[in-house]
Amino acid sequence: MDDYESTAGAEPDEQARPRIGLALGSGAARGWAHIGVIRALADLGIEPQIVAGSSIGAFVGAAYASGELERLERWVRALSWKDILDYLDLSVRGGGVIQGERLMEFLPEEVGRSTIESLPLRFGTVATELNTGREVWFREGPLVDGVRASISLPGLFSPLWHKGRWLVDGGLANPVPVSLCRALGAEIVIAVNLNGDIVGKHQRKRTGKQGGEKLEEKTNTAFLERISTQLKNSLQDRKEALLAQLFGNNRQAPGLFEVLASSINIMQDRITRSRMAGDPPEVILSPRLAHLGLLEFDEADKAISEGEASVALMRPFLQQLLPEL
């Protein structure tokens, strides 16, 4: 593990209650479930003092730690697929089809222009150094840098060049950052694993009634059309072949995105199991999200509801662990 920034040791807790940490895991569009988890925990009187996020968990965690969760929730619940496309700046150069410049413009608005160390809650994000595979922790510095580095999903978002290193998605090294939570001073860690039920269930369905086009097929079509438009001038001859490689050239063959998503799901599931076996959290919340695709960011209502349901399922255990609730 590598750490760009150093911080002082945890301050003594003046309260009787143990310091509660929330480890928000990776999972692309499934990450909106974190919002439901946070809301449901608050309804039980559980408000973590420490938050660590990996990938989409870093994005939601940053909004929560900076006091912007309500605004983020309003935004994600109103998202349409057209809105999502409008935030993308597509390119096949630079290590990912989404360069991230427009996202970088959006991030300060949603997560604030704060530094990590100035937030009301103790917060950190995880990224991965591309050249070495080392885990990188952001515990100080601009909040937007820590988030942008952590969400750089390989093949989708371009890597972030930061302090002489290329950084990619934190989920490659630490999909559910329990260890970072503990390093930030958490005594009880509630971990949110978004990938527990998705291996083998993530591919879009290719059978069914002819009359109804699946949502993910619609979104893939819209995504393909936007890429097609932006590639028109520079890749005329190779455009059709490239798009077939990205999305699949028929209903039976998976495209690059589907293969990539499948591979990342498998990898993160295995890494998560290994990491949590070595450093188990006190509580694991596992929203049931197999029905949501990698890029279905416009399905926030479903994801948030599943996050809330995962807390309701574990309520008896949470009350036993924290009897004062």
Side-chain angles (χ1 to χ4, degrees):
M1 188 279 298
D2 196 6
D3 192 350
Y4 277 135
E5 316 292 351
S6 62
T7 57
E11 299 173 359
D13 192 351
E14 299 178 356
Q15 302 177 358
R17 292 183 63 175
R19 287 188 296 270
I20 299 175
L22 186 61
L24 302 178
S26 59
R30 302 177 182 100
W32 300 147
H34 291 314
I35 298 173
V37 166
I38 294 169
R39 293 297 190 205
L41 288 175
D43 289 343
L44 293 178
I46 301 174
E47 296 186 357
Q49 300 95 332
I50 295 163
V51 181
S54 183
S55 193
I56 190 66
F59 187 95
V60 176
Y64 176 51
S66 59
E68 297 289 346
L69 186 67
E70 183 176 346
R71 190 153 67 98
L72 176 64
E73 182 176 356
R74 288 198 304 268
W75 176 72
V76 302
R77 285 188 184 274
L79 268 180
S80 67
W81 183 243
K82 182 180 181 300
D83 294 328
I84 296 168
L85 292 178
D86 287 342
Y87 278 105
L88 305 184
D89 44 345
L90 300 171
S91 171
V92 292
R93 297 172 293 179
V97 298
I98 301 172
Q99 294 303 295
E101 280 78 6
R102 296 208 62 197
L103 183 64
M104 289 291 284
E105 295 172 0
F106 170 73
L107 278 176
E109 178 183 345
E110 286 302 321
V111 304
R113 299 181 180 275
S114 308
T115 58
I116 293 174
E117 62 271 23
S118 70
L119 297 176
L121 300 180
R122 192 166 296 180
F123 180 67
T125 72
V126 178
T128 305
E129 187 181 354
L130 184 61
N131 291 337
T132 65
R134 290 177 178 172
E135 184 178 339
V136 177
W137 290 356
F138 284 80
R139 297 188 284 182
E140 293 181 358
L143 180 61
V144 69
D145 288 350
V147 175
R148 175 63 177 87
S150 190
I151 64 173
S152 299
L153 187 67
L156 188 60
F157 285 99
S158 58
L160 177 68
W161 179 254
H162 187 272
K163 295 188 176 181
R165 306 184 189 186
W166 286 109
L167 301 179
V168 293
D169 196 284
L172 298 180
N174 196 350
V176 184
V178 175
S179 56
L180 176 53
C181 244
R182 297 204 189 280
L184 290 169
E187 296 168 305
I188 291 178
V189 176
I190 300 172
V192 186
N193 179 18
L194 303 178
N195 301 312
D197 70 335
I198 58 176
V199 173
K201 301 180 182 179
H202 47 273
Q203 291 183 326
R204 67 178 183 269
K205 297 178 181 178
R206 297 184 175 83
T207 60
K209 296 181 180 179
Q210 295 294 324
E213 188 178 9
K214 303 296 182 184
L215 172 61
E216 195 165 352
E217 292 172 10
K218 292 180 181 178
T219 56
N220 281 345
T221 299
F223 201 61
L224 182 148
E225 289 173 353
R226 184 172 173 91
I227 290 180
S228 178
T229 299
Q230 294 202 8
L231 292 178
K232 186 185 302 181
N233 295 330
S234 60
L235 295 171
Q236 285 283 3
D237 295 336
R238 299 179 56 193
K239 181 177 61 178
E240 291 185 5
L242 175 63
L243 296 178
Q245 291 173 7
L246 288 175
F247 292 96
N249 54 14
N250 58 61
R251 291 175 60 84
Q252 300 302 320
L256 183 147
F257 279 169
E258 192 166 350
V259 172
L260 182 64
S262 302
S263 301
I264 291 174
N265 287 342
I266 293 168
M267 177 197 67
Q268 291 189 348
D269 178 64
R270 300 300 185 266
I271 294 173
T272 299
R273 291 171 186 265
S274 176
R275 294 291 300 249
M276 289 202 294
D279 186 9
E282 281 66 32
V283 182
I284 301 176
L285 301 175
S286 299
R288 300 178 66 84
L289 300 165
H291 56 292
L292 293 182
L294 180 75
L295 298 176
E296 290 186 299
F297 290 98
D298 54 334
E299 293 292 333
D301 289 346
K302 294 179 181 178
I304 292 172
S305 294
E306 291 297 336
E308 293 170 341
S310 71
V311 175
L313 184 65
M314 294 296 291
R315 179 171 181 169
F317 182 75
L318 288 166
Q319 291 177 320
Q320 181 180 4
L321 183 66
L322 301 169
E324 66 271 23
L325 294 179

